[in-house]
Amino acid sequence: MKLEKKSILSVVLIVIFAAMVSLVSFRAGSVSSSGNAPASAELSLDTAAESVKHTDESGNVTVDFEKLKEWNPDIYAWITVPGTNIDYPVLQKSGAEDPYDNYYLEHTVDLEEGLPGAIYSQPVNQKDFMDLVTILYGHNMKNGEMFTELHEFEDKEFFEENQQIYIYTQKGTFTYEIFAAVDFSDALIPYEYDFSDNSQVQKYLEDVKSCDGNFRENMEVSAERRILTLSTCYSGREDRRLLIEAVQKDSGSTM
């Protein structure tokens, strides 16, 4: 009889334990389905824009950076290039000792090694877009992702019809006017030019003007303006880069 009672008690305990495990699993499933799981489980490059970008009735755009930083805390801005599918988070590797760190050249926003990488800046640039020249990098992918569609600006008609770039940050939105799309060398630009020196900025602008490409001739850009450079590679031309050059709209006088 004592043995039977012990057996019955063991069965009861097993049943209670199984019920508790099921309850915990159910609650965990409920947390995931309610949207409280890590954002990395919810966001992807394909869905991020529609999940974090919101436009109000007045046409003002806001970006949910809290959600983006849950996905990856290295995200500090968002770039949109109208007329293209470029609508991505912008990252910079935190804690990098090398000012020319290229971590996100070979790592995705999900921190997975390999292509397509991510849109990123090097630590040599501040994250507030207040440098005289800020450079963002992105791959030229066969499937059209990342900065591939910057190559559309090689077409003169497309270049004339599409003139703006938007950068969204937690502190506000920056609008840039595109003034050039040029075939440049593969030089490490922030290493070759000291952008803390206005004369070096002017030299960079002159080097850009000397390149083959499309230019908005009615724009005058001085070394005092804040410049945004978007850089991507060419297929089969490892020693050249396509640069899209734009000037911050509210940063002073015009090139």
Side-chain angles (χ1 to χ4, degrees), residues 191-237:
Y191 182 82
E192 297 292 335
Y193 304 87
D194 178 6
F195 290 136
S196 65
D197 181 345
N198 281 17
S199 66
Q200 287 285 295
V201 177
Q202 188 59 43
K203 183 180 186 306
Y204 174 63
L205 291 174
E206 290 170 359
D207 289 346
V208 166
K209 288 181 184 179
S210 70
C211 293
D212 293 331
N214 291 322
F215 299 87
R216 200 149 277 117
E217 303 295 346
N218 62 341
M219 292 182 67
E220 295 183 1
V221 180
S222 69
E224 290 74 29
R225 301 294 300 274
R226 293 192 178 94
I227 306 299
L228 177 66
T229 297
L230 307 184
S231 175
T232 194
C233 60
Y234 290 95
S235 177
R237 299 176 63 201

Side-chain angles (χ1 to χ4, degrees), residues 161-176:
E161 292 177 354
N162 297 275
Q163 302 183 17
Q164 295 184 320
I165 299 169
Y166 297 104
I167 297 289
Y168 303 96
T169 73
Q170 287 180 288
K171 293 186 177 180
T173 301
F174 297 99
T175 301
Y176 292 84

Side-chain angles (χ1 to χ4, degrees), residues 37-253:
S40 58
E42 302 172 0
L43 297 179
S44 70
L45 285 180
D46 294 332
T47 64
E50 60 189 47
S51 298
V52 302
K53 281 182 69 180
H54 309 286
T55 306
D56 64 22
E57 294 180 354
S58 300
N60 297 315
V61 177
T62 57
V63 176
D64 187 345
F65 280 99
E66 288 187 9
K67 191 170 186 178
L68 285 172
K69 286 185 175 295
E70 288 177 11
W71 187 18
N72 185 326
D74 285 342
I75 296 173
Y76 72 95
W78 186 279
I79 182 171
T80 300
V81 182
T84 75
N85 64 3
I86 297 170
D87 206 20
Y88 294 119
V90 179
L91 296 88
Q92 185 180 112
K93 180 62 176 175
S94 57
E97 296 182 1
D98 181 1
Y100 310 109
D101 178 85
N102 287 312
Y103 178 85
Y104 283 107
L105 180 70
E106 298 179 349
H107 290 81
T108 70
V109 67
D110 295 308
L111 303 179
E112 295 178 357
E113 188 171 359
L115 297 175
I119 306 303
Y120 73 98
S121 64
Q122 296 171 321
V124 68
N125 272 132
Q126 301 180 84
K127 298 179 183 179
D128 59 4
F129 293 88
M130 290 293 104
D131 289 331
L132 288 176
V133 179
T134 298
I135 304 174
L136 301 184
Y137 303 90
H139 280 296
N140 174 25
M141 301 293 296
K142 289 182 178 179
N143 65 1
E145 290 184 354
M146 298 294 106
F147 272 175
T148 303
E149 289 202 359
L150 290 183
H151 286 278
E152 295 288 345
F153 288 96
E154 294 179 87
D155 178 78
K156 184 67 174 178
E157 184 176 348
F158 184 90
F159 177 83
E160 293 295 341
E161 292 177 354
N162 297 275
Q163 302 183 17
Q164 295 184 320
I165 299 169
Y166 297 104
I167 297 289
Y168 303 96
T169 73
Q170 287 180 288
K171 293 186 177 180
T173 301
F174 297 99
T175 301
Y176 292 84
E177 297 286 340
I178 298 171
F179 63 88
V182 301
D183 181 346
F184 204 79
S185 75
D186 65 344
L188 178 54
I189 295 172
Y191 182 82
E192 297 292 335
Y193 304 87
D194 178 6
F195 290 136
S196 65
D197 181 345
N198 281 17
S199 66
Q200 287 285 295
V201 177
Q202 188 59 43
K203 183 180 186 306
Y204 174 63
L205 291 174
E206 290 170 359
D207 289 346
V208 166
K209 288 181 184 179
S210 70
C211 293
D212 293 331
N214 291 322
F215 299 87
R216 200 149 277 117
E217 303 295 346
N218 62 341
M219 292 182 67
E220 295 183 1
V221 180
S222 69
E224 290 74 29
R225 301 294 300 274
R226 293 192 178 94
I227 306 299
L228 177 66
T229 297
L230 307 184
S231 175
T232 194
C233 60
Y234 290 95
S235 177
R237 299 176 63 201
E238 295 183 2
D239 62 337
R240 307 299 295 176
R241 296 291 181 269
L242 172 67
L243 303 184
I244 306 302
E245 302 288 349
V247 63
Q248 203 175 100
K249 197 171 180 180
D250 56 356
S251 61
S253 55

